[in-house]
Amino acid sequence: MNQYLEIFIDESKEHLQTINEQLLELEKNPNDLSIVNEIFRSAHTLKGMSATMGFEDLANLTHQMENVLDGIRNHKIQVIPELLDVVFAAVDDLEAMVNSIAEGGDGKRDVREVVQQLKQIEQGELPTTQTKQETAPAASVLTQTYGEFEYNILQESKEQGFNAYEIRVKLRADCLLKAARVFMVFEVLNEAGEVIKSNPSVELLEEEQFDQEFLVTLVTKEPGEQLQQRISKVSEVEEVVVAPIDMEQLKIAQEQAEQAAVLQEEVAATIVAEKEEQKEESKEKEATHKNATTNKTIRVNIERLDILMNLFEELVIDRGRLEQISRELNHPELHETVERMSRISSDLQNIILNMRMVPVETVFNRFPRMVRQLARDLGKKINLEIIGAETELDRTVIDEIGDPLVHLLRNAIDHGIEMPEVRRAKGKPEEGTVKLKAYHSGNHVFIEIEDDGAGINREKVLQKAINKGIISKQNAANLTDKQVYELIFASGFSTADKISDISGRGVGLDVVKSTIESLGGSVTIDSEEGIGSTFSIQLPLTLSIISVMLVEIQNEKYAIPLSSIIETAIIRKEDILHAHHQKVIDFRGKVVPLLFLKDVFEIPSVKEEEDFFSIVIVRKGEKMAGLVVDSFIGQQEVVLKSLGNYLTSVFAISGATILGDGQVALIVDCNALIK
Amino acid sequence: MVEVQETELKVIVFQLKDEEYAIPVQQVRSIEKVQHITRVPRTPKFVKGVINLRGVVTPIIDLRERFGIEAQPFNEQTRIIIVALGEVEVGLIVDAANDVLDIPTKSVEPPPEVIEAVEVDYITGVAKVGKRLLILLNLEKVLDTEKVV
């Protein structure tokens, strides 16, 4: 049961996401029926699944939503933003229910209000002039029965000018490869149109679980005779009968069945409905099963990947040992084997790291909804463009990046984009554009949030910063534009004249900055007043593997992240100068303070001081410092590990890594060292 | 049979100086031999550093130092007992890991007022098994992170 529940939750979330996305599309193109159909399909599947799983509230609400969608599809209801608001609210409720189920709840929720609203929409616009046609031309004989879903497709394709046929294919009695013939027939059919239903089912047909003949329902634009001729060309086919489906007749049969079902569903999802849904469900399953063969994916718990990663690291450590032993023994065959193993394991490493990569889409896809809501709340017109949603990032980064992005987007919409009338006055299009762009570059991923709004007003920012005591008046004049923009990331800073709910109370952007920096990334601002602003976030591809410079201090080894290193140098003792009790060096014309890691980390002395110092120049923003070490070991890619939950805040140590010899080396946090 | 299970406590028994201590077996993950420990700067003295425990970086506490017993160089008997308490996983350095015992819960008594060297805080009780006196440790107190770093 549990495993089904998991699948149910995952798939429900996917369907809800689709509904969300398509609803937004629909708002832009209210007359595009294919979008409505897309939503309808997702909603329908969701309804079926939840009824099967026994989540009645979920099924009920989805059912009401479906009715409204049906109205839209049949041109009975007009798509207007107010209507979509209600539908969005319904989707929110659905989401809340699915989340409650995911957290182990019962998925119950008071949805009467939304249901009521949906019903009103459904009825308020319903034309009463619909007359039933009782005439039933007996031109064709219906031999297949159709579920609601199939019926809908048939009806819809009829409206779009497709013909529906029931095709009876009879194979010769001495046919040897029945499955092959079936395949060929289906190939012809799929070329001509879309197979809606087959009896027996396709799977049974493929397994040759049928006698001599089978029935297929097809929607196509081709005329019947032509179809018949084409199918007859398949060898060993004895007889082909193509009969058009009469929609009127079908409708009557269908309506009778439906009315009964609707009545019962009104009370609750009854057994009858449920059975129907189950049939639907199994059909859907078949469909997904078929998809699976073309796009083989499985869901893997991230924890398992972590375990795999840990085990792999063990392997890497042992590989290091093996390499050393083989060097010592100098045995050619052993040498060769070990080398091969090394190569294979580095391939393996790439694959494992890649498995942890997730497209940023998983974060981005919730933004369109949010932006729409914000825009409506603020009375602004905003078009959100998402570019590069397929860009991949490590799972751990993905998990952290959501909130900062929400903040920046809200900031852009609230403070960046102007009100429509202001924009018109400035000669800009009323609708503001916010671009969310992600792309790879080197070992980094960039995420940019670009708006064509008001831009940042230098004077206003400076004034605020001076008022809040963030900078002094004297300093203010010398700042470059970039430095001024940086000020809005300072804590306790907010440029909005009035505090709004949307982008927080000035606690926002500094948190954004620190979150991004804690991920090993950085954020910069570009802006032109009146034209717009761009917030650019640079993130490491992965958090779990970083490049470091290994250094030795006395008998201890430390790793310094390459991302903070500017360069390394070796200086003579005499080159060290003193300024305010602080040892400094003159480095390319700049005075750089020295930090003796031996003292900072209280490393016990075992070696004598030499006349030369090895120095790693590191930076934090614009500031620099020289870390004094004993020697450089070299550059290396290492796996970043946490120190665990016991040692939570060790000074100037951001984590640890395991070296080739199995020992642990600590990673220096340069940001903490430079104040 | 059920009754017996309920009234017995399975513990790992280890040695520190002259005393025998006990930790419930549920809190123990594994017992390891001493391996290379990487010192972590600016931590309390009893935090010896971290080790690589099958790919997981695990902090190590020297119980002797934690309890204020004079230090002693590691020898063949020295062991690291890996314990887990909620989310926290830590290794404890002990003089030797002696035994796995079932002790009847009724033989556990509240801690006496004075126990040599070890603060009474760290103790949940004392159990007498035959001639042996086992001190039951309160891991929560021993690992109290408030006092660390």
Side-chain angles (χ1 to χ4, degrees):
Chain A
M1 189 61 194
N2 236 334
Q3 108 195 47
Y4 292 123
L5 192 64
E6 230 171 73
I7 295 172
F8 167 74
I9 290 164
D10 280 343
E11 291 191 354
S12 303
K13 283 185 178 166
E14 272 168 26
H15 283 299
L16 285 173
Q17 185 55 42
T18 317
I19 294 175
N20 258 329
E21 282 166 8
Q22 297 297 329
L23 279 174
L24 288 169
E25 275 301 306
L26 183 66
E27 192 169 33
K28 287 186 202 143
N29 313 302
N31 295 319
D32 192 340
L33 278 187
S34 66
I35 298 174
V36 183
N37 286 327
E38 189 74 24
I39 303 170
F40 198 89
R41 263 196 288 281
S42 281
H44 195 84
T45 314
L46 187 64
K47 180 176 96 174
M49 290 196 305
S50 29
T52 317
M53 296 295 290
F55 299 116
E56 290 174 10
D57 285 358
L58 202 56
N60 253 335
L61 183 55
T62 324
H63 179 74
Q64 290 303 332
M65 208 166 89
E66 233 181 71
N67 286 349
V68 172
L69 290 170
D70 202 38
I72 300 173
R73 202 162 62 169
N74 298 333
H75 304 286
K76 289 174 195 157
I77 302 174
Q78 199 65 40
V79 179
I80 45 168
E82 286 70 29
L83 176 147
L84 286 177
D85 280 345
V86 177
V87 180
F88 273 131
V91 174
D92 281 344
D93 276 329
L94 291 175
E95 240 160 11
M97 285 191 259
V98 171
N99 283 337
S100 129
I101 293 164
E103 279 154 20
D106 54 3
K108 293 220 181 295
R109 191 180 164 91
D110 187 6
V111 292
R112 269 173 298 183
E113 199 190 332
V114 183
V115 169
Q116 194 52 40
Q117 282 172 321
L118 286 173
K119 275 192 179 155
Q120 273 169 2
I121 292 175
E122 191 194 340
Q123 278 151 15
E125 311 266 346
L126 254 186
T128 45
T129 49
Q130 204 192 16
T131 48
K132 268 187 198 170
Q133 282 185 316
E134 292 295 333
T135 46
S140 66
V141 189
L142 287 175
T143 37
Q144 294 230 68
T145 49
Y146 298 94
E148 197 184 336
F149 180 65
E150 290 142 3
Y151 173 72
N152 287 331
I153 293 184
L154 283 175
Q155 201 174 29
E156 184 190 297
S157 27
K158 201 87 183 175
E159 280 163 11
Q160 285 165 11
F162 284 90
N163 295 317
Y165 295 105
E166 267 186 20
I167 302 166
R168 185 192 298 275
V169 180
K170 193 174 178 192
L171 298 179
R172 271 180 19 209
D174 58 351
C175 174
L176 281 178
L177 294 162
K178 287 200 284 187
R181 297 307 162 208
V182 169
F183 176 77
M184 289 163 82
V185 170
F186 269 79
E187 213 173 34
V188 172
L189 292 175
N190 283 328
E191 231 171 77
E194 200 181 342
V195 177
I196 303 292
K197 190 183 173 110
S198 89
N199 186 22
S201 75
V202 180
E203 263 165 34
L204 291 178
L205 289 176
E206 275 171 2
E207 287 163 19
E208 305 199 349
Q209 304 262 14
F210 67 106
D211 251 357
Q212 250 182 285
E213 49 176 59
F214 55 92
L215 255 177
V216 186
T217 308
L218 183 80
V219 287
T220 177
K221 280 199 166 146
E222 286 191 33
E225 310 87 73
Q226 207 173 323
L227 269 176
Q228 196 193 356
Q229 281 167 15
R230 285 180 64 179
I231 299 170
S232 305
K233 278 199 185 138
V234 176
S235 9
E236 294 186 307
V237 169
E238 194 171 284
E239 194 188 0
V240 182
V241 182
V242 178
I245 294 176
D246 189 322
M247 283 315 285
E248 296 301 334
Q249 202 190 20
L250 192 61
K251 197 171 167 187
I252 293 159
Q254 206 69 30
E255 262 170 16
Q256 281 163 352
E258 216 170 64
Q259 267 167 4
V262 166
L263 273 178
Q264 278 162 321
E265 266 179 358
E266 212 93 300
V267 193
T270 61
I271 307 157
V272 181
E274 220 162 282
K275 270 190 185 161
E276 207 170 88
E277 306 299 2
Q278 266 164 353
K279 254 197 283 173
E280 278 299 316
E281 162 95 323
S282 60
K283 244 194 96 74
E284 293 291 338
K285 281 255 170 70
E286 249 177 63
T288 48
H289 176 76
K290 262 188 260 160
N291 283 345
T293 47
T294 51
N295 183 21
K296 283 178 186 147
T297 13
I298 52 165
R299 291 174 203 277
V300 182
N301 193 323
I302 187 90
E303 252 172 54
R304 286 200 196 170
L305 289 185
D306 285 343
I307 295 169
L308 182 65
M309 185 81 175
N310 270 338
L311 286 175
F312 179 75
E313 281 153 19
E314 284 276 303
L315 202 67
V316 170
I317 291 158
D318 285 336
R319 178 185 76 187
R321 281 188 199 138
L322 261 182
E323 277 169 349
Q324 190 153 6
I325 292 167
S326 112
R327 264 197 302 276
E328 280 163 14
L329 288 180
N330 209 4
H331 187 288
E333 269 179 56
L334 178 66
H335 220 71
E336 207 174 291
T337 320
V338 170
E339 213 160 81
R340 248 183 79 79
M341 207 191 80
S342 304
R343 267 204 303 276
I344 292 172
S345 68
S346 59
D347 285 351
L348 202 56
Q349 178 179 347
N350 276 335
I351 289 172
I352 293 174
L353 283 179
N354 267 327
M355 282 199 300
R356 296 170 51 92
M357 302 293 261
V358 182
V360 280
E361 201 179 355
T362 49
V363 183
F364 283 8
N365 60 18
R366 63 181 157 124
F367 292 151
R369 264 301 298 281
M370 189 195 86
V371 170
R372 174 187 183 273
Q373 195 60 46
L374 270 181
R376 277 182 72 77
D377 289 350
L378 292 166
K380 293 181 180 178
K381 287 188 178 166
I382 284 155
N383 173 32
L384 177 69
E385 267 181 52
I386 294 182
I387 302 159
E390 70 288 343
T391 313
E392 286 185 327
L393 257 174
D394 189 90
R395 176 67 199 220
T396 32
V397 184
I398 292 272
D399 289 345
E400 298 290 327
I401 197 66
D403 287 344
L405 284 181
V406 167
H407 237 107
L408 289 178
L409 273 177
R410 286 175 163 231
N411 184 68
I413 291 162
D414 194 16
H415 301 317
I417 304 285
E418 313 92 327
M419 297 301 284
E421 53 274 14
V422 179
R423 290 182 66 89
R424 213 177 318 134
K426 281 185 181 171
K428 290 183 184 179
E430 265 184 43
E431 190 180 62
T433 303
V434 177
K435 268 190 208 160
L436 183 59
K437 190 157 94 184
Y439 58 94
H440 278 278
S441 177
N443 255 335
H444 289 92
V445 167
F446 290 84
I447 299 177
E448 286 177 5
I449 294 161
E450 188 185 330
D451 66 68
D452 65 347
I456 298 172
N457 184 323
R458 181 189 158 103
E459 291 313 312
K460 212 164 144 190
V461 170
L462 276 180
Q463 202 52 49
K464 264 260 154 66
I466 294 167
N467 288 348
K468 301 236 161 149
I470 295 166
I471 50 161
S472 66
K473 252 192 179 137
Q474 295 91 307
N475 285 338
N478 301 326
L479 294 179
T480 63
D481 281 355
K482 264 230 150 112
Q483 284 168 321
V484 174
Y485 303 151
E486 293 284 321
L487 287 175
I488 66 174
F489 285 126
S491 60
F493 190 92
S494 169
T495 50
D497 294 328
K498 48 178 192 248
I499 285 164
S500 71
D501 261 353
I502 310 298
S503 50
R505 286 153 195 84
V507 290
L509 289 180
D510 60 317
V511 177
V512 169
K513 189 176 164 131
S514 62
T515 310
I516 289 165
E517 276 177 356
S518 75
L519 291 172
S522 62
V523 52
T524 53
I525 309 172
D526 247 324
S527 179
E528 199 168 330
E529 216 187 331
I531 308 288
S533 324
T534 306
F535 287 75
S536 182
I537 302 171
Q538 181 185 355
L539 288 167
L541 262 188
T542 168
L543 280 190
S544 47
I545 299 240
I546 59 169
S547 293
V548 297
M549 162 80 101
L550 274 184
V551 299
E552 199 163 31
I553 307 153
Q554 302 297 332
N555 278 341
E556 297 184 0
K557 286 175 190 155
Y558 288 86
I560 303 172
L562 274 195
S563 56
S564 13
I565 297 180
I566 299 175
E567 62 176 287
T568 58
I570 293 175
I571 54 158
R572 276 177 310 190
K573 216 173 172 179
E574 304 91 83
D575 290 339
I576 296 178
L577 312 166
H578 292 260
H580 294 294
H581 308 291
Q582 166 78 57
K583 285 179 175 166
V584 298
I585 51 164
D586 179 4
F587 176 75
R588 300 195 195 285
K590 273 189 175 176
V591 175
V592 175
L594 286 185
L595 277 171
F596 288 79
L597 285 189
K598 178 173 168 293
D599 301 335
V600 175
F601 291 146
E602 299 159 344
I603 301 168
S605 288
V606 287
K607 290 180 186 164
E608 292 201 1
E609 205 169 277
E610 289 172 43
D611 288 340
F612 292 92
F613 290 116
S614 300
I615 290 173
V616 184
I617 312 279
V618 295
R619 73 186 156 96
K620 176 197 184 185
E622 300 288 297
K623 291 176 200 154
M624 291 201 279
L627 307 181
V628 182
V629 301
D630 286 347
S631 61
F632 310 127
I633 297 173
Q635 188 183 326
Q636 205 172 326
E637 299 256 299
V638 298
V639 180
L640 184 61
K641 305 242 171 193
S642 103
L643 284 179
N645 290 320
Y646 183 64
L647 299 170
T648 43
S649 54
V650 182
F651 174 75
I653 298 293
S654 59
T657 185
I658 294 167
L659 300 177
D661 59 3
Q663 294 187 5
V664 179
L666 302 176
I667 295 170
V668 179
D669 179 6
C670 297
N671 285 341
L673 285 176
I674 308 173
K675 282 179 205 85
Chain B
M1 195 54 201
V2 176
E3 229 169 86
V4 175
Q5 276 176 349
E6 277 177 353
T7 54
E8 287 203 336
L9 188 65
K10 209 185 230 342
V11 294
I12 302 280
V13 179
F14 62 86
Q15 186 95 30
L16 262 191
K17 209 182 171 193
D18 306 323
E19 311 272 0
E20 279 195 302
Y21 296 81
I23 312 175
V25 77
Q26 294 87 345
Q27 296 178 329
V28 176
R29 282 291 149 86
S30 63
I31 298 174
E32 308 286 329
K33 288 195 174 175
V34 174
Q35 47 173 296
H36 178 88
I37 300 177
T38 302
R39 192 183 65 89
V40 179
R42 299 210 186 184
T43 47
K45 204 160 176 266
F46 57 81
V47 176
K48 284 283 120 180
V50 287
I51 61 164
N52 164 20
L53 182 68
R54 285 175 288 279
V56 179
V57 176
T58 311
I60 301 299
I61 292 175
D62 190 334
L63 268 197
R64 272 185 173 250
E65 298 225 24
R66 181 72 168 131
F67 295 154
I69 306 170
E70 77 275 16
Q72 171 200 292
F74 300 155
N75 59 36
E76 274 298 295
Q77 257 70 51
T78 311
R79 291 288 180 275
I80 298 176
I81 301 181
I82 309 292
V83 296
L85 198 72
E87 295 281 286
V88 178
E89 211 163 289
V90 171
L92 307 173
I93 300 178
V94 301
D95 290 358
N98 293 352
D99 219 340
V100 184
L101 277 185
D102 289 314
I103 48 175
T105 36
K106 58 176 184 286
S107 71
V108 178
E109 290 167 33
E113 287 299 301
V114 183
I115 283 200
E116 193 195 351
V118 179
E119 280 178 62
V120 180
D121 254 13
Y122 298 139
I123 294 165
T124 46
V126 175
K128 240 188 136 200
V129 180
K131 283 184 176 174
R132 298 160 80 177
L133 192 69
L134 304 179
I135 303 166
L136 269 70
L137 275 190
N138 181 351
L139 270 190
E140 271 163 56
K141 285 276 159 50
V142 175
L143 302 185
D144 193 353
T145 38
E146 297 266 307
K147 292 174 190 163
V148 183
V149 187

